[in-house]
Amino acid sequence: QIKMAIKDVVTDYNALSDRAEEVDIRKENSLVRETVLDLKSTIKHNNYVALAAPQIGVRKRILCINFKGDVRTFCNPVVTNVEGFTLNKETCPSIPGKRFIRFRNTSITVIYQDPLGKVNSVKLDGLAAMVMQYAIDILDGLLISDVGLEIDDAWEEATENERNEVLAAYLESLDIQMKQM
């Protein structure tokens, strides 16, 4: 019987810091089904944009993204092409109460398997591309706190010049020049 549960989101940094394992959809079909249902119900219950399996305690390369109410599943996703650069303000349910600015590509192509094992490819732009990159980072054991620039309420009150100085230093730490953006 199929059961789905709203899961608590993992907030233990160490539990999320390892790369998730590829999932063998044929051999692990029941695990895939249960994980997908749990991800989807947790996303819908909490109104999340995306959630990866490690965030609910399953160390497999499965993620779900909420496209305006249509929650889609991506197993074993691999980014094959990237274009453009932007800085994106992001939050993460695994790091509650904190906000970060993160360097992202504005357009990506992803090859993935659906829950039945069929291989698909999709080009994502804008917010969808950024959300996919965030979720794949989780699968790779990379939290936004590892590479993002943490911001607080003072960020919103800072002048544009002050923000640009901080952003320039952040980008320089990543070996990216402002003019590349």
Side-chain angles (χ1 to χ4, degrees), residues 13-22 52-55 58-63 76-79 102 104 108 110 132-144 146-147:
Y13 177 86
N14 290 329
L16 294 169
S17 63
D18 290 327
R19 186 177 194 278
E21 299 170 5
E22 299 272 320
Q55 291 176 288
V58 179
R59 298 217 14 214
K60 294 292 181 178
R61 297 187 72 78
I62 303 169
L63 64 89
N76 302 319
V78 176
V79 176
R102 177 76 164 94
R104 296 287 185 202
I108 64 172
V110 179
M132 178 64 78
Q133 290 168 84
Y134 154 80
I136 290 175
D137 280 353
I138 298 283
L139 297 180
D140 290 341
L142 185 67
L143 292 181
I144 193 170
D146 294 328
V147 288

Side-chain angles (χ1 to χ4, degrees), residues 29-43:
N29 189 266
S30 60
L31 172 69
V32 171
R33 277 197 319 263
E34 187 176 324
T35 302
V36 168
L37 289 172
D38 291 348
L39 284 168
K40 287 184 173 191
S41 60
T42 305
I43 284 172

Side-chain angles (χ1 to χ4, degrees), residues 7-17 42 48 51-59 92-96 134 138 143:
K7 298 288 189 175
D8 289 331
V9 174
V10 174
T11 56
D12 175 8
Y13 177 86
N14 290 329
L16 294 169
S17 63
T42 305
Y48 291 147
L51 209 56
Q55 291 176 288
I56 60 167
V58 179
R59 298 217 14 214
C92 174
S94 293
I95 309 171
Y134 154 80
I138 298 283
L143 292 181

Side-chain angles (χ1 to χ4, degrees), residues 5-168:
I6 296 164
K7 298 288 189 175
D8 289 331
V9 174
V10 174
T11 56
D12 175 8
Y13 177 86
N14 290 329
L16 294 169
S17 63
D18 290 327
R19 186 177 194 278
E21 299 170 5
E22 299 272 320
V23 62
D24 184 328
I25 293 175
R26 284 193 203 112
K27 289 183 181 168
E28 300 175 286
N29 189 266
S30 60
L31 172 69
V32 171
R33 277 197 319 263
E34 187 176 324
T35 302
V36 168
L37 289 172
D38 291 348
L39 284 168
K40 287 184 173 191
S41 60
T42 305
I43 284 172
K44 289 175 182 171
H45 177 78
N46 294 294
N47 201 25
Y48 291 147
V49 176
L51 209 56
Q55 291 176 288
I56 60 167
V58 179
R59 298 217 14 214
K60 294 292 181 178
R61 297 187 72 78
I62 303 169
L63 64 89
C64 290
I65 296 179
N66 186 350
F67 293 93
K68 298 180 180 167
D70 177 22
V71 182
R72 295 189 39 211
T73 304
F74 301 83
C75 300
N76 302 319
V78 176
V79 176
T80 60
N81 190 36
V82 299
E83 296 172 24
F85 307 104
T86 191
L87 291 169
N88 192 41
K89 272 192 214 169
E90 299 181 8
T91 59
C92 174
S94 293
I95 309 171
K98 297 198 183 244
R99 295 178 300 151
F100 298 86
I101 291 179
R102 177 76 164 94
F103 172 83
R104 296 287 185 202
N105 295 104
T106 54
S107 179
I108 64 172
T109 302
V110 179
I111 293 176
Y112 66 96
Q113 290 176 284
D114 69 19
L116 297 174
K118 182 174 182 272
V119 176
N120 296 294
S121 175
V122 64
K123 184 172 193 240
L124 300 170
D125 297 305
L127 182 58
M130 290 177 242
V131 169
M132 178 64 78
Q133 290 168 84
Y134 154 80
I136 290 175
D137 280 353
I138 298 283
L139 297 180
D140 290 341
L142 185 67
L143 292 181
I144 193 170
S145 56
D146 294 328
V147 288
L149 173 67
E150 186 175 347
I151 57 173
D152 56 18
D153 292 337
W155 177 259
E156 304 304 334
E157 297 157 14
T159 67
E160 188 174 345
N161 275 353
E162 290 169 330
R163 280 190 285 221
N164 284 340
E165 278 183 38
V166 171
L167 291 176

